[in-house]
Amino acid sequence: MRKDYWNKPEMGLWERLYIFEVIRGLCITGSVFLGNMWKWLTFRKGALTAYYPEELRSDYSPNNRGRHVLTQRDNGQVQCVSCNMCATVCPAYAIEILSTANFADPCHPKAPERFEIDYSRCIFCGFCVEACPEDAIRMVKEVPDFPGFDRDRMWAGMDLLMNWRPMRDPAKHYPTPQAPLREVPE
Amino acid sequence: MIELKIDNKMVAANEGETVLQAALRHGIEIPHFCYHPCLSIAGNCRICLVKVGGRPKLMPSCNLAVAPNMEIETDTEEVAEARRAVMRFITLNHPGECGICDKAGECRLQDYHVRYGEPEPISIEPKSRKPKFYDLSPRILLDNERCILCGCCVRFTQEVSGSHQLGIVERGSHARVERLETGAFDDPYSDNVIGLCPVGALLSRDFLYRSRVWYLEPVRSVCTGCSRCCSVNVWRRNRHWHLRALGEELNRTAYRVTPFENPEINGPWICNKGYDLHRFMARQRVLQPMIAGRGASVEEALAEARRLLSESINPAALVSAHASNEELAAFQAALGPRLAVYSREDYRPAPGEAVEDGLLIRGVKNPNSYGVQALFGHRPYGVINGHDLLLVWGDNAEDTSFDGARVIRLASFGTQQEFTADVLIPVSTTFERSGSFSNFEGKVNRFDKVFDKPELVQHAGELFGRLA
Amino acid sequence: MIQDLVVYLLFIGYAIGFMLGLATLFTWVERKQSAVMADRIGANRCYIRIPFTNVRLVAWGLFHGIADGAKMLLKENFTPHTYDRFCYNLAPWLAAAPVLLVFSVVPFGGTVTPGRLLPQLHAFFGERSYLMQVASLDAGILVVLSLSGIGILGTMLAGWSSNNKFSLLGAARAASQMISYEVAMGLALISLVVTYGTLDLNGMVTRQSGLLLGFLPAWGIFMQPLAFLLFLTAAIAENKRVPFDLPECESELVAGYFTEYTAMKMGLFMLSEFIEIVVVSALLVTMFLGGYNLPYLSAGGFVLPGGASWALPHLAVVLLQVGTFAAKVILAGCFQIQVRWSLPRFRYDQLMGFGWKFLLPLAALNLVVTACVRWWTL
C-alpha cells in the first residue's frame, strides 16, 4: 500500500496521459532554445552569464563589498595605525597585522609593517571597514584577480592593498603638531 | 572584627582596614587608580569617592578607615556624578589613543571610562602636549600624555624596591614622571612599574606593539632565574588568534612575562630577569639527537646511551638544577641506584648581575638546586673520582672538563657543535613541560606547559625509564 | 570483385567516421544546446593558440571534445581490487562494439552507381550499382534487436566485476530496465514490420519513398505514429539517458555501473552512449523519417506533386541523399538532447510501471490494430 502524501499531485486525464505534458515541456525548453539561438545567430548575446576572466561585470551594485583598499596619507604613508580593530572584529580571522614602532612620525608612532588579508578566508562582511577608526581600510565594489590555484597563496599584502587602487582621501586627518612632541628634558 | 554596612550589605572588616579594602575583599566594586594593596595610600586620584552616612561630603574610600556601624553607599547618583566628574578631569588631557596603546584591553582607565565616564568630552580646549615616548630607561618608555599622575611608580621605587629613582617633577599640566638626579632608572625591579601603571603611560620596550593583549593568554609558570622560583604568567598567543601569514613561529613564542601574584613566594612582583624569562627561553635550542657529533634518530641515540651505560664500570650522573621535582623522582626511580649522583649548577651569576638582595633575588641562579640537594645531597662533581661514564643533565656546555670519560648529555639550549658528547639527547625546557620546583625555602611552586615540545625533543622525565 | 572491395571499404570507413564524428559532435552539442536552453554560454575554455601568435582559436568550444579525448587517454588507469580482471576489462568493449555494429545494417543513402558519378570512374566500375549500406541483410531489424541485446551484457559485466555496491546496483537497474524496454521496442518494431512487410531496413526506406494521400511523404511516422513514439521512448530508455538514467543517476549511485572505471575505459562507456545517440537517431530516421529520402526526390531528380519535374545528375542525387540522411540524424540527435535536458528523471518504480503497464499494452494494441488493418486491406 503506497503512502499518501499531503502534496500528492492531482492530475487530470490530460496530465496523466503524460505524452502531451511532455510535449508541452519540450515546447517550453525548445522556445527558450530557439529564442536564445536567434540572438546568437544575429550576433547578440543570448546568455545571462559572463565570460568570466575576459568579460568583467560592469553592473556591480555600488554597495557591493569587493576587494579591500588601504588608504594612504598625503605623504604616501599608509593611513592604518595598526590598531588591530579589523583583525579583532573579523569573524573569519582573515586579517593579520604585524606592527612596528616608528617614532620619526610623532603623530603615528605605531604603523603596520605587514598587513595581510587571506582571501581564501575572507567572507566580505565588511566588518573591518566598519571597525576601522581611521578610515584606513575600505572595500570597493570590484573584485579583480581573485581566483588562485593554491589556498595558501591567496594572501594580499600591504603593497597590493595600498597600490592596486591608490586612494589618498582618508576622512581622518591629524594636524601637524606645532611643538615637537618628543622633547628630551635637559 | 568591625561590622559595617556597604550598599545595605553587612560586611565584616578587620581592624585597621580601609573601606576600599573591605569592599574589594567582599566583591563590591569601587574604582581606584592610585590604590595598590602593597603600596602606601596616596589618595590622589579621587575616583574611589563614596558616600558615608552622616557626612555631608563624599570621602575617598581608599583612605577611610573602617569604623563600626559605618554606612557606605557606592552606587548612588551622587557618587556616580562624582565619578563622572573625576573621569572628566582625568581624561581632560588624556590623548585617547587606545587604538595604538599597548595597555588597551587591560587598562583600568579604559574600563572605568566605559563604565563610569561619559562618551564625549565637554572640554573644547586643545589637549596639552607633553613629551611622548620618552626613554625612561633602556627597558621602559614613558608617555607623559597618557600619565594620570597617580604616583604608583614613584611609590614603588620608594617603598618596594627602595631605589628612589623616580619622582614627579613640575606642577599643574606640566607635571610629569621623571628620573631623579641620580640619573638612570636601573632598578633591578624597574619593569614592575609597567604592570603597576593603571594606564598606558609606562610601556615595555620589549613588548612595544608586538601584539594586542587580547590576542594573548597567560599560562602560569615559574621563573627559572634564581632559587626564589617566582610565579609568573607567560603570555602566549591564544589559540583563536594563531597567525599564519606572519609566521607560524610566532604562535610558539612567549610574548611577555608578567608576575603571577603568589603571596607565599613573590607577592605581586618579580625582578627584571623574570621579565626577560621569555628571552632566556628563546635562545638557540638543541633540537637534534646526536651520536659522536653526527645526527641520529631518538631511538638510535637512546640505544647508544643504553649500550654505553651497560658497558660502563663506574658510571656517574650530574643532575641538573633546572630539573623539576617530578623529573628528579623519575631519575631516582629509574637510574638512581646504578649511578653515583652529583648535583650540578647549570648557571652561575653573570658578571654585573645583582647577586642577592633582601627583596626577591637570590644568589643561587638555578630554580631547583634545593630540590636536588634534598634528594641527593650537595655533592659537586670533581675529576678525581675516576668515573668512566658521565650522564650530564643540564645546559651550559662550557662547564668542567670530564677527563676522558664517555659523556651522555641531556641539554636544552646551545648549538650542536658546542657539545662534544658521545650521545646528545635534546630535552624540553620549562615552558614545554609541567611540573614543580622547590625554592630555597622548600616551598613548592608548580608550573604549567606553555608550548608543545619540538618533535625530536624529549621530556627528561620520560627518558630515564627508557634508558634504564 | 576488386571494385566491390573498394566500395565496401569506403562504406565502412564512411560509417565509422560518421558515427564517431557525430558522437564527438554530440558531446559538444549536448553542452552547447543545454547551455543555450538555460541562458548560459556553455563550454568555451578550450582553445588552440595559433603558433607564434597570441591568437586563440576558441571555435565555440569545439575543441573540448579533443581535450576530453586527450584527458581520457592520459589519465591514470585505475583498477579496483576486483577478482575478475578479465570481465572488468572486457565490459567496456562489450558495451561499445555492438553499438558500432548496429550501424552496419542502416542504409545511409540510396542506390549508387559509381560509374555514373564521374566519367573517369566509368572505366573501372562499369555499370555496377550498390546499395549505400555496409551490410544489406534481409534480417536487418533482427540484427538491430539482437545486437542491442548484447549491449546489456556489457553493462552487467561492468557492474558485477567492479566489486562495488553502486556498480552492482546500477548494473541490476540497467539490466532490468533494458530488458523491460526491449520488449516494448520489439513489439513496436513488429507492427512496423507488419506495415512494411519487410525486415530489411533498405526495403523499409524504399517503401517510404512514395507519397501518402498525394502530398504527404509516406514516412513511417505518418503511417505508424504510435509506433514512432513507442520506439523513441524505448530507444531512449535503452540508451539509459535522462529521463531513464536510473542505472547511472549521480544523486543515488555516483556513476552507476561504471563508477569504478577510469580513463579511456570510462571514455568507452561515455563514447558508446553518444554513439548510441547517433545509432538511435539513424534507426529513427531509417524506420520512421523516410531514411535518406528527401520528399519528391527520386533517382532521376525532383518530381513535384503538380507534375513539374527537375532532372538532376546522379552525383547530385547521391550527395543529396547522403546529406539528407546526415541532416536528419543530426536533427533527431538534437531532439534527443532536448529531451534529455527538459524532462525530470523517473522514479524507479515509475520507470518499471511505465515500461510494463503503459508502453507494453500500447505496443500490443498497436500491433493488433496494425495487423487487423493490414489483414483488411490485403
Side-chain angles (χ1 to χ4, degrees), chain C residues 166-183:
Chain C
F166 293 128
S167 303
L168 192 62
L169 272 173
R173 284 183 177 188
S176 53
Q177 170 183 331
M178 288 168 84
I179 290 171
S180 306
Y181 281 78
E182 198 107 312
V183 178

Side-chain angles (χ1 to χ4, degrees), chain A residues 2 29-30 32 36 48 51 54, chain C residues 36 39 44-45 338 342 349:
Chain A
R2 169 144 327 144
T29 52
V32 174
N36 283 334
L48 300 177
Y51 293 95
E54 292 92 8
Chain C
V36 174
D39 290 337
N44 64 347
R45 286 296 102 191
Q338 167 105 16
S342 300
D349 61 321

Side-chain angles (χ1 to χ4, degrees), chain A residues 2 17-19 22 26 29-30 32-33 36-37 40 46-51 53-54, chain C residues 33 36-37 39-41 44-45 229 243 335 338-339 341-343 346-347 349 354 358:
Chain A
R2 169 144 327 144
L17 276 175
Y18 186 68
I19 182 71
V22 167
L26 287 176
T29 52
V32 174
F33 174 78
N36 283 334
M37 207 60 210
W40 284 116
L48 300 177
T49 47
Y51 293 95
E54 292 92 8
Chain C
Q33 191 177 343
V36 174
M37 277 163 61
D39 290 337
R40 290 183 285 115
I41 293 168
N44 64 347
R45 286 296 102 191
L229 284 177
F335 178 73
Q338 167 105 16
V339 170
W341 287 98
S342 300
L343 301 185
F346 281 93
R347 211 168 54 213
D349 61 321
F354 187 68
F358 188 73

Side-chain angles (χ1 to χ4, degrees), chain B residues 102-404:
Chain B
D102 271 350
K103 196 76 176 185
E106 51 184 17
C107 175
R108 291 220 296 279
L109 183 62
Q110 202 181 22
D111 295 346
Y112 294 162
H113 183 68
V114 172
R115 236 174 283 162
Y116 308 119
E118 49 196 8
E120 295 294 328
I122 56 167
S123 168
I124 55 165
E125 296 296 320
K127 302 204 170 198
S128 72
R129 315 304 304 238
K130 291 190 203 177
K132 287 176 85 72
F133 303 106
Y134 172 60
D135 295 309
L136 206 59
S137 82
R139 306 173 60 88
I140 299 173
L141 281 175
L142 170 63
D143 188 325
N144 281 300
E145 284 185 358
R146 296 178 193 161
C147 179
I148 61 168
L149 298 169
C150 68
C152 282
C153 46
V154 177
R155 276 176 287 144
F156 175 82
T157 59
Q158 288 168 354
E159 296 162 15
V160 179
S161 74
S163 65
H164 298 272
Q165 282 173 333
L166 291 182
I168 294 177
V169 298
E170 306 219 26
R171 290 194 288 177
S173 62
H174 297 285
R176 62 175 200 271
V177 173
E178 182 56 277
R179 295 170 301 202
L180 293 184
E181 290 77 15
T182 47
F185 183 41
D186 54 359
D187 191 326
Y189 296 93
S190 66
D191 276 16
N192 285 305
V193 301
I194 298 165
L196 201 53
C197 183
V199 296
L202 292 159
L203 301 167
S204 164
R205 237 187 203 294
D206 183 59
F207 185 62
L208 187 71
Y209 300 154
R210 282 196 66 202
S211 169
R212 303 316 303 258
V213 292
W214 57 86
Y215 295 155
L216 309 179
E217 61 180 359
V219 182
R220 185 176 168 180
S221 190
V222 171
C223 173
T224 61
C226 72
S227 56
R228 171 74 63 173
C229 295
C230 299
S231 289
V232 294
N233 275 329
V234 177
W235 295 76
R236 69 174 177 207
R237 215 166 167 92
N238 189 305
R239 190 172 55 83
H240 291 288
W241 298 106
H242 271 194
L243 295 168
R244 287 162 299 132
L246 302 184
E248 295 280 342
E249 68 278 0
L250 288 175
N251 303 329
R252 299 187 295 271
T253 308
Y255 278 76
R256 63 171 178 178
V257 176
T258 57
F260 177 89
E261 184 162 351
N262 187 342
E264 303 227 322
I265 293 173
N266 57 315
W269 323 117
I270 56 173
C271 67
N272 285 356
K273 191 175 182 185
Y275 278 100
D276 285 342
L277 180 64
H278 61 291
R279 281 203 239 155
F280 179 80
M281 293 292 176
R283 288 174 299 155
Q284 164 92 41
R285 288 287 301 277
V286 184
L287 294 171
Q288 170 72 43
M290 312 272 276
I291 299 175
R294 284 178 296 101
S297 73
V298 178
E299 299 305 322
E300 289 166 3
L302 277 173
E304 176 70 8
R306 266 197 302 275
R307 190 182 65 77
L308 288 175
L309 271 173
S310 64
E311 286 174 2
S312 161
I313 305 157
N314 186 12
L318 274 67
V319 174
S320 167
H322 276 248
S324 69
N325 291 336
E326 290 74 12
E327 287 172 337
L328 290 174
F331 173 78
Q332 172 89 333
L335 294 173
R338 290 177 51 195
L339 305 174
V341 181
Y342 299 94
S343 60
R344 181 171 186 276
E345 294 296 326
D346 293 17
Y347 295 97
R348 295 171 195 288
E353 186 180 350
V355 175
E356 189 157 348
D357 63 12
L359 187 54
L360 292 176
I361 301 173
R362 300 295 303 172
V364 179
K365 296 298 177 193
N366 296 295
N368 212 14
S369 297
Y370 292 87
V372 174
Q373 280 172 30
L375 270 179
F376 304 109
H378 183 68
R379 291 175 66 197
Y381 170 75
V383 181
I384 40 159
N385 298 342
H387 294 291
D388 62 342
L389 176 71
L390 290 171
L391 174 68
V392 184
W393 176 12
D395 298 322
N396 215 354
E398 73 267 2
D399 224 8
T400 35
S401 75
F402 299 120
D403 195 30

Side-chain angles (χ1 to χ4, degrees), chain C residues 29 67 104 111 120 154 173 200 208 211 230 314 376:
Chain C
V29 170
S104 61
T111 314
Q120 295 88 335
R173 284 183 177 188
D200 182 10
Q208 295 178 64
L211 289 181
L230 292 172
H314 185 59
W376 186 59

Side-chain angles (χ1 to χ4, degrees), chain C residues 147-205:
Chain C
L147 282 178
S148 64
I150 294 176
I152 304 174
L153 288 180
T155 57
M156 285 182 71
L157 270 189
W160 178 72
S161 64
S162 287
N163 198 11
N164 177 319
K165 295 185 195 70
F166 293 128
S167 303
L168 192 62
L169 272 173
R173 284 183 177 188
S176 53
Q177 170 183 331
M178 288 168 84
I179 290 171
S180 306
Y181 281 78
E182 198 107 312
V183 178
M185 184 161 86
L187 278 178
L189 289 186
I190 288 174
S191 56
L192 201 68
V193 171
V194 169
T195 312
Y196 292 137
T198 176
L199 288 170
D200 182 10
L201 288 175
N202 197 43
M204 286 188 178
V205 178

